[in-house]
Amino acid sequence: MKKRETRLILALDVLSRNKALELVGSLGGYFDAIKVGYPLILAGGLGILKEISSLAPVIADLKIADIPNTNRLICEEALRAGACGLIAHAFPGQDSLKACVKSTRAYGADLFAVTEMSHPGASEFMAPLAESLAKAAVEAGATGVVAPATRPERIKLIRSIIGDKIIISPGVGTQGGSAADAIKAGADYLIVGRSITGADDPVAEAERVLSQVKASLP
Ligand code: O7M
């Protein structure tokens, strides 16, 4: 991932390969990385990671959450396919998370662990565990964590636990989070999807979010 140039990561949750490549072509310059997850990989095949990674840095959002050996196998497939960053869940525990950290490091890639998610349901099971999950990410040696832009106060709390590890933060725009509030709370990067990919003018919308980010930096 590029080092905090625009501080934006595009969530490329579209189902067509052509649409995905078209969006990366027109929007690539506004984003430090492109996040590709299950929707596009299932619709377009794993090869889409290689295609997009030839145009921009790709984070594969597989929210990996299995036993260590299976995690390793999943990581290696995604890394071989071109991802330079991966997302794993922290809740399966240290051994599972460390397997992901080890695999990503072998490829010089980044591993981000999910703490508390951005949707309302995260308050049921994840929020009470978020601090422990953030500590687990640090202990395992993750590059950083995922924390919710929909609850900037939680970004602040997680920042106080993880020190200078990286926070990538989804939930801006369609889910109601504010780019400025998330950056001010301590997010390093914002993950933004539908409000840009579904806009009538995606480039204008990306420019608008980018100007909000710039205006909120110290
Ligand atoms: O801006 P959106 O709502 O269209 O997209 C947000 C993206 O971030 C989408 O790809 C989600 O799967 C992802 N996401 C969340 O929305 N909330 C989370 O808590 C975590 C993620 C995520 O990216 O995890 C790595």
Side-chain angles (χ1 to χ4, degrees):
M1 166 153 71
K2 292 180 200 154
K3 296 279 178 230
R4 298 204 313 185
E5 284 178 18
T6 67
R7 293 176 175 251
L8 295 177
I9 297 170
L10 181 66
L12 195 55
D13 296 323
V14 296
L15 299 178
S16 133
R17 172 187 169 275
N18 288 347
K19 178 76 181 165
L21 293 174
E22 182 195 311
L23 284 166
V24 173
S26 59
L27 293 171
Y30 294 95
F31 294 90
D32 288 336
I34 310 291
K35 186 180 78 71
V36 178
Y38 288 107
L40 182 54
I41 293 172
L42 291 173
L46 192 58
I48 194 75
L49 290 188
K50 185 134 276 167
E51 282 193 275
I52 296 175
S53 65
S54 70
L55 305 169
V58 169
I59 298 175
D61 179 8
L62 300 172
K63 296 200 176 67
I64 306 160
D66 215 310
I67 61 168
N69 185 61
T70 310
N71 275 5
R72 176 179 63 80
L73 294 172
I74 295 168
C75 288
E76 286 173 3
E77 280 306 299
L79 292 161
R80 264 198 293 272
C84 66
L86 299 178
I87 312 276
H89 272 298
F91 65 75
Q94 276 300 313
D95 52 355
S96 291
L97 203 47
K98 279 183 177 154
C100 297
V101 169
K102 191 174 172 197
S103 298
T104 46
R105 281 191 183 162
Y107 279 77
D110 297 314
L111 193 276
F112 300 96
V114 179
T115 58
E116 177 178 324
M117 294 183 74
S118 58
H119 63 310
S123 62
E124 294 169 30
F125 304 114
M126 300 195 86
L129 291 176
E131 291 175 61
S132 303
L133 296 171
K135 282 180 197 148
V138 174
E139 193 183 329
T143 312
V145 301
V146 183
T150 46
R151 291 178 222 100
E153 72 284 3
R154 303 294 284 172
I155 297 179
K156 260 189 203 155
L157 174 72
I158 287 164
R159 169 62 72 207
S160 73
I161 294 166
I162 65 164
D164 60 3
K165 295 257 178 211
I166 292 173
I167 296 181
I168 61 176
S169 186
V172 167
T174 306
Q175 295 182 50
S178 140
D181 291 350
I183 291 285
K184 283 180 197 154
D188 294 292
Y189 298 86
L190 306 179
I191 299 171
V192 192
R194 291 165 291 173
S195 61
I196 293 174
T197 57
D200 290 338
D201 186 344
V203 169
E205 185 58 22
E207 273 169 3
R208 203 179 64 79
V209 180
L210 184 55
S211 65
Q212 288 172 349
V213 169
K214 284 187 177 153
S216 53
L217 289 171

